[in-house]
C-alpha cells in the first residue's frame, strides 16, 4: 500500500515535471481531497475544472490519498511541494496533523487554502466553509415554510441530543423562526442517527400532532428514516420531510413525494470556489486577512472573519427538478 | 416450576396492561386497535431476535453478534437486490436465513470446538461482521431508490389486515412454542443450561446443543436482516447499532435467567412487547428523550431485581420419570 502510494506520488511528480516547463506561465493549483474515489470529491474536481476553464491560465492537479488518512495527505503534500505547485486547496483529514507539512509549503511560497474540512489557522491562509451555521439554520426552516404558504405545525427530528452541529443549527433555526409567520415549531425529538429510532420518532410525531405539516431533519440518517415513515403512513403529500441529506440517499423519497425538497452544500460549487480563491491569492489579486473580501467568480465574494474563515453560500436546494442530475454524483 | 413461570408471565402481562392503560389516559389514540397492531409490527424484529437469543441464553451462552449479523445480512441482500433486481423475494429470504445461520454456525463452532467463552466469541465476531459490512459496501449506503419495489414491499404486504412482518413474527413464535415444548432439542436447551454435567449423563452433547442454539439465533438474525433493511428501505454500516443489547434486555425482562436453564417463549415475547410498547409510547406522550432512556433502563433493573428475589429452586427435576426410577 505504502509502496503503491509512493509510486503513485513519484509518477505524478515525473508527469508534472515533464509537463511543467512547457507552460511556465500556467498557474498549477492542486485540489487535494480526503481520499480519491469518493463521489462528493469527484464532483468538487468537476467544479475545479470549470474554474480552470473560466480562468484560462490554470492547470488543476486533482489528487489525494487512497484512504482517508492524514499520513496519506502529508505524503501527497510533500510530493506537491517537490513539484513546486503554485497553490494547494485541501479538504483535510485532520485539522492539526497537516499543519507542519502545509507550513513548509507556505514557506516555499505556495498558497494554501482549506475548504470543506478545515485546517488549523496556522496551517493555511484561509478556510472556505461550505456554509455557515446561521445560513443552515435559516435554510432548514425556509425549506419547510416554502411549501406551507398558510403556515402550520412543523417538528424537528434531530440526531442525538448531544450532537454539537445539530444543536447549533436548531438553535440558529429557532432564532429566525419569527421571520416565517404561521410556522409553529411544536417539538424537537431525537433519533440518535439510527434508522429504526428515527423512524419510530417520526411515527410518534405524526400521531401526537395530527395536524403536522412538516418534519425537519438536519441529519442524513434521520431525514431518510422520517421520509420512509411518512410514506409507510401514507401521508406523502400531507407531511413534508425536509432538512439536510444527500441526493443519492434522498432520490427515492423525492420520487414518492414524501420529501418535496431538501438541502446540502453543492460540491461542484465548492470545488469551483476553492479553486478561484486559491488562484486569486496565488496571483496576488487578493490577500487573506481578517475582514478581507475575496472574489470567487460566479459564487460572489467570500468575507473572512477574524480567523480567516468564510462561508460560501446558502446550502443548495435539491428537489424533483434537479435530483436526477445529482443522485449519481454523491 | 411450571407455576412460577406462569405467575411470572402473569405479572409481566399485568405490567404491560397497566402501562398501556396509563398511556391511554394521556393519549387515548394509542390503544386504537390499528395503533396496537402498528406497535406489534414495530416490535416484530425484536420478538424474533429475542426468541433466538432466548435459546442461546438458556444454554448458558450469550450472542452479542445478532445485530451485526442482521446488519451484514441486510447489506448483502440489499446489494444482491441492486445487482439482480429480479431475484424473487423467496430466494432473498432463503439466502438471508442461510447466511445468518452460517454466521451463527461460526459462533457455535468456536464455542463448541475451541471452548472459548461465548461472550468473547460473539464480541469478536460482532466486530468482524461490522467490519465486513464496511469492506463489502465501501462505506456506501444502499438507498430506497436502488432497491426493487418487490424487495421493499414484502414486509409491508398486508395479509388479513396485518403486514407480513407481523405474520412472520407470529410464525416464529408458533415455531418456538413447538420447538421448546415438543422436541427433544427444546428440552436439551433447558437441560444444558440447568445443569450441564447432569446433561452429559443423560446423553446430551452440551457443545452441540449450544452450537445448535447459535445457529438458530444466527438464522433468525439473518431473516430479520432482510426484513429490517426492506422495512426502513436503507442499508448502511451502522444499521441496528446497539440492538443486541435491546435483545438481551427483552430476554432479561421476560424472565430468562442469564445463568441459563430458566425461561419461556411467552416470557421472551412479553419482554419484547414490553420494551416495544415503552419505545413506541414514550415519543407519543412527549416524554423527554433522556427520561426515555432512564425509563427503559429502570424496567431492566426492576426485572433483574425481580429475577434475583424470585427464589430459584435449588434442584430442579428435568426428567421426572428417570429420577423416580432411581
Amino acid at each position: 500500500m505504502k509502496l503503491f502510494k509512493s509510486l503513485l506520488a513519484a509518477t505524478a511528480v515525473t508527469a508534472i515535471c515533464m509537463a511543467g516547463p512547457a507552460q511556465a506561465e500556467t498557474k498549477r493549483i492542486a485540489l487535494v481531497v480526503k481520499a480519491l474515489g469518493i463521489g462528493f470529491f469527484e464532483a468538487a474536481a468537476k467544479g475545479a475544472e470549470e474554474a480552470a476553464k473560466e480562468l484560462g491560465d490554470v492547470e488543476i492537479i486533482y489528487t489525494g490519498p487512497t484512504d482517508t488518512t492524514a499520513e496519506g495527505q502529508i505524503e501527497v503534500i510533500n510530493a506537491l511541494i517537490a513539484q513546486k505547485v503554485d497553490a494547494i486547496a485541501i479538504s483535510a483529514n485532520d485539522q492539526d496533523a497537516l499543519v507542519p507539512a502545509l507550513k513548509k509549503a507556505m514557506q516555499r511560497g505556495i498558497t494554501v487554502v482549506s475548504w470543506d474540512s478545515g485546517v488549523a489557522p496556522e496551517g493555511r491562509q484561509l478556510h472556505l466553509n461550505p456554509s455557515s451555521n446561521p445560513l443552515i439554520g435559516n435554510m432548514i426552516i425556509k425549506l419547510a415554510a416554502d411549501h406551507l404558504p398558510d403556515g402550520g405545525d412543523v417538528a424537528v427530528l434531530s440526531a442525538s441530543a448531544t450532537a454539537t452541529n445539530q444543536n447549533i443549527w436548531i438553535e440558529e433555526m429557532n432564532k429566525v423562526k419569527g421571520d416565517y409567520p404561521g410556522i409553529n415549531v411544536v417539538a424537537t425529538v431525537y433519533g440518535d442517527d439510527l434508522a429504526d429510532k428515527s423512524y419510530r420518532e417520526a411515527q410518534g410525531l405524526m400521531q401526537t400532532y395530527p395536524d403536522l405539516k412538516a418534519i425537519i431533519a438536519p441529519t442524513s440518517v434521520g431525514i431518510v428514516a422520517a421520509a420512509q415513515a411518512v410514506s409507510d403512513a401514507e401521508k406523502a403529500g400531507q407531511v413534508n420531510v425536509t432538512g439536510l441529506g444527500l441526493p443519492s440517499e434522498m432520490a427515492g423519497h423525492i420520487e414518492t413525494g414524501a420529501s418535496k425538497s431538501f438541502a446540502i452544500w453543492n460540491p461542484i460549487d465548492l470545488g469551483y470556489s476553492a479553486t478561484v480563491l486559491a488562484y486569486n491569492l496565488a496571483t496576488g489579486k487578493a490577500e487573506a486577512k481578517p475582514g478581507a473580501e475575496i472574489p470567487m467568480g460566479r459564487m460572489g465574494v467570500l468575507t473572512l472573519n477574524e480567523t480567516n474563515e468564510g462561508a460560501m453560500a446558502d446550502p443548495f436546494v435539491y428537489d424533483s427538478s434537479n435530483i436526477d442530475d445529482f443522485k449519481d454524483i454523491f | 416450576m411450571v407455576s412460577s413461570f406462569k405467575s411470572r408471565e402473569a405479572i409481566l402481562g399485568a405490567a404491560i396492561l397497566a402501562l398501556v392503560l396509563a398511556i391511554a389516559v394521556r393519549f387515548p389514540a394509542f390503544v386504537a386497535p390499528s395503533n396496537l397492531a402498528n406497535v406489534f409490527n414495530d416490535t416484530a424484529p425484536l420478538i424474533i431476535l429475542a426468541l433466538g437469543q432466548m435459546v442461546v441464553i438458556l444454554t448458558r451462552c450469550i450472542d452479542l453478534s445478532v445485530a451485526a449479523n442482521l446488519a451484514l445480512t441486510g447489506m448483502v441482500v440489499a446489494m444482491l437486490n441492486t445487482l439482480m433486481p429480479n431475484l424473487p423475494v423467496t430466494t432473498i429470504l432463503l439466502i438471508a436465513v442461510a447466511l445468518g445461520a452460517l454466521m451463527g454456525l461460526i459462533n457455535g463452532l468456536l464455542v463448541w470446538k475451541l471452548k472459548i467463552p461465548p461472550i468473547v466469541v460473539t464480541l469478536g465476531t460482532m466486530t468482524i461482521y461490522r467490519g465486513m459490512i464496511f469492506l463489502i459496501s465501501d462505506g456506501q449506503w444502499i438507498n430506497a431508490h436502488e432497491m426493487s419495489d418487490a424487495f421493499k414491499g414484502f414486509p409491508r404486504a398486508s395479509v388479513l389486515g396485518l403486514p407480513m412482518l407481523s405474520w412472520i413474527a407470529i410464525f416464529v413464535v408458533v415455531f418456538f412454542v413447538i420447538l421448546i415444548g415438543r422436541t427433544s432439542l427444546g428440552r436439551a436447551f433447558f437441560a444444558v443450561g440447568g445443569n450441564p454435567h447432569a446433561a452429559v449423563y443423560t446423553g446430551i452433547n452440551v457443545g452441540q446443543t449450544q452450537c445448535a442454539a447459535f445457529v438458530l439465533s444466527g438464522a433468525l438474525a439473518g431473516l430479520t436482516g432482510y426484513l429490517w433493511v426492506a422495512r426502513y428501505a436503507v442499508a448502511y454500516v451502522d444499521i441496528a447499532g446497539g440492538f443486541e443489547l435491546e435483545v438481551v434486555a427483552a430476554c432479561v425482562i421476560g424472565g430468562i435467567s442469564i445463568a441459563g436453564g430458566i425461561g419461556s417463549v411467552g416470557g421472551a415475547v412479553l419482554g419484547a412487547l414490553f420494551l416495544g410498547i415503552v419505545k413506541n409510547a414514550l415519543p407519543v406522550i412527549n416524554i423527554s428523550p433522556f427520561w426515555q432512556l432512564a425509563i427503559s433502563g429502570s424496567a431492566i433493573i426492576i426485572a433483574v431485581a425481580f429475577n434475583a428475589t424470585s427464589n430459584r429452586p435449588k434442584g430442579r427435576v428435568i426428567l421426572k420419570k428417570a429420577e423416580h426410577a432411581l
Side-chain angles (χ1 to χ4, degrees):
Chain A
M1 201 61 182
K2 276 271 181 281
L3 179 70
F4 174 71
K5 269 190 224 162
S6 321
L7 280 176
L8 206 69
T11 326
V13 174
T14 332
I16 301 304
C17 288
M18 284 162 70
Q23 311 164 294
E25 299 303 309
T26 308
K27 290 282 175 197
R28 290 179 306 151
I29 299 176
L31 191 74
V32 181
V33 297
K34 289 187 177 186
L36 295 172
I38 297 177
F40 185 86
F41 291 119
E42 304 288 331
K46 233 183 245 182
E49 288 296 343
E50 181 198 332
K53 200 175 282 175
E54 197 177 297
L55 296 165
D57 55 346
V58 169
E59 182 195 341
I60 298 293
I61 304 164
Y62 171 60
T63 179
T66 48
D67 45 11
T68 54
T69 60
E71 305 91 84
Q73 284 190 319
I74 291 170
E75 279 179 39
V76 168
I77 293 166
N78 287 336
L80 291 170
I81 295 172
Q83 295 168 38
K84 300 194 178 70
V85 295
D86 296 292
I88 294 174
I90 189 164
S91 170
N93 285 327
D94 186 302
Q95 64 163 351
D96 298 316
L98 302 179
V99 168
L102 291 173
K103 262 188 176 166
K104 192 167 103 187
M106 286 191 286
Q107 281 159 10
R108 309 279 164 89
I110 298 173
T111 298
V112 176
V113 304
S114 60
W115 53 283
D116 176 46
S117 172
V119 176
E122 60 271 26
R124 43 83 176 159
Q125 282 158 275
L126 67 80
H127 173 63
L128 170 70
N129 278 312
S131 192
S132 69
N133 293 325
L135 289 178
I136 295 167
N138 178 51
M139 176 54 80
I140 55 179
I141 192 157
K142 182 176 179 296
L143 285 170
D146 280 351
H147 296 282
L148 293 174
D150 305 324
D153 289 353
V154 304
V156 178
L157 171 67
S158 174
S160 72
T162 50
T164 322
N165 56 359
Q166 302 274 319
N167 285 340
I168 293 174
W169 294 335
I170 293 167
E171 202 179 294
E172 293 289 345
M173 182 193 94
N174 285 328
K175 275 187 206 162
V176 297
K177 70 183 173 192
D179 301 349
Y180 301 93
I183 300 294
N184 186 17
V185 181
V186 290
T188 300
V189 297
Y190 300 92
D192 288 347
D193 262 349
L194 290 169
D196 58 321
K197 183 149 193 268
S198 306
Y199 183 96
R200 241 190 325 271
E201 292 287 349
Q203 274 183 334
L205 285 174
M206 285 186 278
Q207 284 183 19
T208 320
Y209 307 99
D211 289 334
L212 194 71
K213 293 286 190 292
I215 296 176
I216 298 171
T219 139
S220 56
V221 176
I223 191 171
V224 171
Q228 192 61 47
V230 166
S231 17
D232 284 354
E234 290 174 358
K235 286 195 169 171
Q238 283 175 54
V239 180
N240 177 27
V241 178
T242 187
L244 303 177
L246 291 178
S248 58
E249 288 157 11
M250 285 299 289
H253 299 299
I254 289 282
E255 210 173 287
T256 63
S259 172
K260 293 197 174 81
S261 60
F262 62 95
I264 195 79
W265 12 107
N266 182 332
I268 299 177
D269 290 347
L270 200 51
Y272 170 89
S273 308
T275 307
V276 180
L277 288 170
Y279 177 82
N280 283 340
L281 293 185
T283 52
K285 287 183 178 143
E287 196 189 338
K289 55 175 189 257
E293 293 189 342
I294 304 174
M296 44 181 181
R298 65 173 167 86
M299 294 305 293
V301 169
L302 183 76
T303 309
L304 296 180
N305 67 5
E306 62 281 2
T307 54
N308 280 0
E309 276 182 52
M312 180 177 77
D314 267 337
F316 190 79
V317 177
Y318 300 84
D319 55 24
S320 55
S321 70
N322 60 10
I323 188 90
D324 286 335
D325 302 336
F326 287 95
K327 74 177 181 194
D328 296 327
I329 299 178
F330 73 109
Chain B
M1 182 178 94
V2 171
S3 69
S4 83
F5 284 160
K6 283 258 160 68
S7 70
R8 165 91 207 186
E9 282 157 18
I11 291 171
L12 192 51
I16 291 177
L17 209 63
L19 183 68
V20 170
L21 287 177
I23 297 160
V25 171
R26 273 193 73 174
F27 194 79
F30 190 79
V31 290
S34 67
N35 189 59
L36 289 180
N38 258 344
V39 173
F40 180 78
N41 193 47
D42 215 58
T43 315
L46 186 58
I47 292 175
I48 299 172
L49 290 180
L51 287 170
Q53 187 72 252
M54 178 186 77
V55 292
V56 174
I57 294 180
L58 279 180
T59 63
R60 291 194 176 178
C61 296
I62 192 160
D63 187 353
L64 295 179
S65 69
V66 280
N69 182 332
L70 178 165
L72 178 53
T73 310
M75 180 55 87
V76 169
V77 293
M79 291 179 78
L80 214 58
N81 179 248
T82 55
L83 292 175
M84 289 178 273
N86 294 322
L87 215 58
V89 172
T90 36
T91 317
I92 295 264
L93 275 171
L94 286 176
I95 292 170
V97 172
L99 186 66
L102 176 72
M103 281 189 264
L105 183 66
I106 294 170
N107 288 332
L109 286 177
L110 288 170
V111 170
W112 178 16
K113 296 293 180 192
L114 298 182
K115 306 253 181 292
I116 310 173
I119 193 166
V120 179
V121 168
T122 55
L123 206 56
T125 50
M126 168 175 92
T127 320
I128 295 169
Y129 298 158
R130 283 268 176 216
M132 280 167 71
I133 308 169
F134 191 89
L135 290 179
I136 60 168
S137 69
D138 220 9
Q140 300 281 314
W141 291 28
I142 308 277
N143 302 297
H145 69 98
E146 292 164 294
M147 297 174 188
S148 73
D149 287 338
F151 182 89
K152 284 184 291 186
F154 178 74
R156 294 184 171 77
S158 178
V159 179
L160 299 175
L162 269 187
M164 266 321 275
L165 181 59
S166 297
W167 284 115
I168 290 178
I170 292 169
F171 174 76
V172 171
V173 172
V174 172
F175 171 79
F176 267 82
V177 169
I178 296 168
L179 176 80
I180 296 292
R182 296 268 179 271
T183 67
S184 54
L185 181 63
R187 263 167 298 161
F189 290 139
F190 284 93
V192 163
N195 189 338
H197 301 292
V200 172
Y201 289 108
T202 61
I204 295 169
N205 185 332
V206 174
Q208 201 175 19
T209 310
Q210 290 175 333
C211 184
F214 275 112
V215 172
L216 204 55
S217 165
L220 292 172
L223 170 70
T224 316
Y226 158 66
L227 296 171
W228 188 292
V229 162
R231 169 143 204 249
Y232 297 115
V234 63
Y236 58 96
V237 176
D238 278 337
I239 221 152
F243 200 67
E244 61 276 348
L245 297 180
E246 218 157 285
V247 174
V248 174
C251 287
V252 170
I253 293 176
I256 288 124
S257 166
I258 286 291
I262 301 179
S264 69
V265 174
V269 172
L270 287 174
L273 276 177
F274 182 83
L275 274 186
I277 291 170
V278 167
K279 281 195 304 177
N280 276 283
L282 297 187
V284 176
I285 54 176
N286 264 337
I287 291 187
S288 118
F290 302 107
W291 277 111
Q292 292 182 30
L293 293 176
I295 291 169
S296 308
S298 311
I300 296 168
I301 293 186
I302 292 169
V304 175
F306 186 76
N307 270 359
T309 50
S310 65
N311 293 329
R312 193 181 166 184
K314 285 197 181 94
R316 280 173 310 112
V317 184
I318 298 156
L319 300 167
K320 242 185 187 120
K321 273 183 197 155
E323 188 159 276
H324 286 306
L326 289 171

